[in-house]
Amino acid sequence: MTGDTAVEPEAEEAAAGKAPLSIPARAARAMVLAAVFTCAACGLVYELALVALGSYLMGNSVTQASIVLSVMVFAMGVGSLLAKPLRHRPVAAFAIVEAALALLGGLSVLALYAAFAWLSLYGPALVVVSFLVGALIGAELPLLMTLLQRIRKQDAGSAVADLFAADYVGALIGGLAFPFLLLPLFGHLRGALLVGAVNVVAGIAVVLWLFRREVGRVAQAGLWAAMAVVLLVLVGTYTLADDFEVSARQVLYQDPIVMAKRTPYQEIVITRKVALSGRPDMRLFLNGDLQFSSVDEYRYHESLVHPLLSGPHGKVLILGGGDGLALREVLRYKDVKSATLVELDPEMLHLARTYKPLADLNQHSFEDPRAHAVTGDAFSWLRGQKERFDSVVIDMPDPDDVATAKLYSVEFYGMVKRILAPGGRMVVQSGSPYFAPKSFWSIQKSIAAAGLATTPYHVDVPSFGDWGYVLASPAKEPPALKLSPAVPGLRFLDESVLKASAVFPKDRRSRDVEVNTLVHPRLVQYEDEEWKDS
């Protein structure tokens, strides 16, 4: 009721617990519960969108999920308490809450992306946005409970059961729709904006139409106008989302972006610039982390592959390396009979085959009849693998979250050891012993804990700095660093460089660190601490 425009008989009916409705009470309750269902689905999508964005931009998905969920759950409690005085005017209050929630939730991903790209205030902005969205979500249920009781009085237990059943089922649908429908079809920014539009329609149109007799004409006009404004803002932003994303993404990268794709697994960005000398520099980034520069990637990949292939290499397995550059180096050996590459993201494999600058750089390695690409998670793939391999190249992204840290765990290396043929060896890209010494030596120690003898080494890759690897073997003695007599012509690596690579300066030698396991992913903490300080 809205004071000067409320009708006295309607107020008496509402006070008696029966709202003046133009449809049967059963249908009215069904409509309100449908609104509960829809609002719950939208609310969970907002939560998941914030968690996913943090994982893309900051890494360490566990930390991002913990911050978002804990702040939002706390804020929901605050919002429920703040909604108590609003129960005297539940229709108008609920409409205002939904308009605010739809606007804030729909724009939340865009706002946080902007805070990250232009203002470097992502952390504080995430907490503020999570709190505000959570508080608005928390205010919904008390108001919806009041509206249900306005339709027909019901004992508290039964009313709560109906309300929470609709709420939880809606959360289930929202939770499933986000990764399987919204992200693949609409992307991160547009998915949130679309959900905001659904939220405002379900939250305002249904309830405001159903309880229109409780709200005066002036208030009705104002609330309908508010809904229209929110929809216009969301729709307008939706049409500009692509331009905004391109502008915001470019701010994050020094060189011009020539290709960008968001996949279910990661954000793939390729940049390219041409120096005054005419030499192009193409760079691949996954979730913002540099994977290679075309100017010096040969240093990285020669150092990764050729010391390993001084041993048996008839059958080679590459875990990661979806850009095909490690595969290129492997296939330079004519006596390699087969090379199997396991890559999580099919889009990365597609680009490596079809994006001409990248396919030219990897020398069309996937077209070699000896190459066989497998799409799948390396951890799961290894668990069911019975085939043995002479050499295993592990070329994974840095372990800055739990999902990648498992690929650097004692358990993972144990599975690799199991598929090594007699005399077989593996090599692991292990990060920077200069910028992240704890991480580097934790990887080496984890490999050793899996029962493998290790030989760590490092080289200079200008784009990365000082970069390290670990060569490992099930034999009792650490594998020797050497090159095969049949090694093809290399641009960077030779025996003298390789010999020097085994020497670490005093301030970067082995540290007192813990091994990385599935139960205790300590690498995530090491990576977060060290790269933050670098």
Side-chain angles (χ1 to χ4, degrees), residues 72-88 93 97 131 134-143 146:
M72 289 190 76
V73 170
F74 166 72
M76 287 167 66
V78 174
S80 295
L81 290 175
L82 293 177
K84 289 175 68 175
L86 304 178
R87 291 180 302 153
H88 300 294
V97 165
F131 181 86
L136 291 168
I137 292 173
E140 289 176 324
L141 287 182
L143 297 173
T146 303

Side-chain angles (χ1 to χ4, degrees), residues 399 408 413 428 430 439-447 523:
Y408 290 80
Y413 298 131
V428 180
S430 305
S439 301
F440 178 84
W441 293 110
S442 177
I443 293 171
Q444 181 272 330
K445 194 170 183 178
S446 299
I447 296 171
L523 267 177

Side-chain angles (χ1 to χ4, degrees), residues 106-455:
L107 297 175
S108 59
V109 173
L110 183 144
L112 288 174
Y113 204 168
F116 179 81
W118 283 289
L119 303 176
S120 298
L121 291 174
Y122 181 80
L126 176 65
V127 172
V128 171
V129 170
S130 298
F131 181 86
L132 292 176
V133 172
L136 291 168
I137 292 173
E140 289 176 324
L141 287 182
L143 297 173
L144 285 166
M145 175 67 78
T146 303
L147 293 175
L148 279 176
Q149 295 290 62
R150 287 281 181 101
I151 297 171
R152 175 168 55 84
K153 282 291 186 181
Q154 194 177 7
D155 67 271
S158 179
V160 168
D162 291 343
L163 193 69
F164 277 86
D167 185 77
Y168 293 152
V169 174
L172 170 67
I173 300 303
L176 295 176
F178 179 71
F180 297 116
L181 178 65
L182 293 172
L183 275 183
L185 294 182
F186 301 99
H188 216 142
L189 294 180
R190 285 186 164 179
L193 291 165
L194 181 64
V195 169
V198 172
N199 197 167
V200 73
V201 172
I204 294 182
V206 173
V207 175
L208 193 57
W209 176 82
L210 187 62
F211 293 94
R212 60 188 180 277
R213 295 182 183 178
E214 285 199 41
V215 182
R217 292 181 180 179
V218 174
Q220 279 191 45
L223 294 173
W224 285 114
M227 186 186 78
V229 169
V230 171
L231 280 174
L232 284 174
V233 170
L234 294 175
V235 170
T237 307
Y238 186 95
T239 62
L240 300 173
D242 285 345
D243 292 338
F244 169 84
E245 189 169 7
V246 169
S247 300
R249 185 187 288 122
Q250 186 60 73
V251 172
L252 303 177
Y253 297 93
Q254 180 178 355
D255 302 330
I257 293 173
V258 294
M259 197 286 303
K261 285 185 178 291
R262 176 91 68 181
T263 78
Y265 305 100
Q266 59 197 347
E267 182 181 63
I268 303 172
V269 171
I270 295 178
T271 66
R272 188 177 186 272
K273 71 173 182 179
V274 179
L276 294 177
S277 63
R279 182 180 65 174
D281 181 1
M282 178 176 67
R283 299 188 174 212
L284 170 68
F285 296 85
L286 299 180
N287 289 340
D289 295 330
L290 177 65
Q291 304 303 303
F292 71 78
S293 163
S294 61
V295 171
D296 57 21
E297 58 80 17
Y298 66 91
R299 286 189 168 215
Y300 172 91
H301 290 101
E302 287 183 5
S303 303
L304 175 70
V305 170
H306 294 287
L308 172 71
L309 298 193
S310 65
H313 53 258
K315 294 177 66 176
V316 180
L317 172 65
I318 303 173
L319 301 176
D323 51 37
L325 299 176
L327 180 62
R328 176 198 66 197
E329 295 300 315
V330 168
L331 294 174
R332 295 178 70 189
Y333 291 81
K334 301 304 181 184
D335 54 346
V336 168
K337 297 177 181 178
S338 68
T340 301
L341 185 145
V342 181
E343 165 65 36
L344 176 65
D345 194 343
E347 185 59 36
M348 190 68 247
L349 293 175
H350 177 72
L351 288 172
R353 288 188 175 104
T354 62
Y355 185 66
K356 189 177 185 305
L358 182 53
D360 290 344
L361 189 62
N362 66 40
Q363 296 178 4
H364 302 272
S365 55
F366 288 99
E367 297 177 12
D368 191 298
R370 296 172 293 168
H372 176 57
V374 177
T375 302
D377 172 63
F379 195 96
S380 301
W381 186 86
L382 278 175
R383 291 187 67 183
Q385 190 54 229
K386 296 181 180 179
E387 187 178 0
R388 296 294 187 94
F389 296 89
D390 299 305
S391 296
V392 178
V393 179
I394 302 179
D395 188 17
M396 298 292 185
D398 292 343
D400 56 4
D401 61 24
V402 174
T404 49
K406 74 176 183 179
L407 304 174
Y408 290 80
S409 65
V410 175
E411 295 86 347
F412 182 76
Y413 298 131
M415 290 192 292
V416 174
K417 178 185 176 184
R418 179 176 55 81
I419 65 165
L420 285 175
R425 307 190 303 175
M426 77 170 182
V427 68
V428 180
Q429 90 78 16
S430 305
S432 173
Y434 180 81
F435 294 109
K438 288 184 179 179
S439 301
F440 178 84
W441 293 110
S442 177
I443 293 171
Q444 181 272 330
K445 194 170 183 178
S446 299
I447 296 171
L452 295 153
T454 64
T455 300

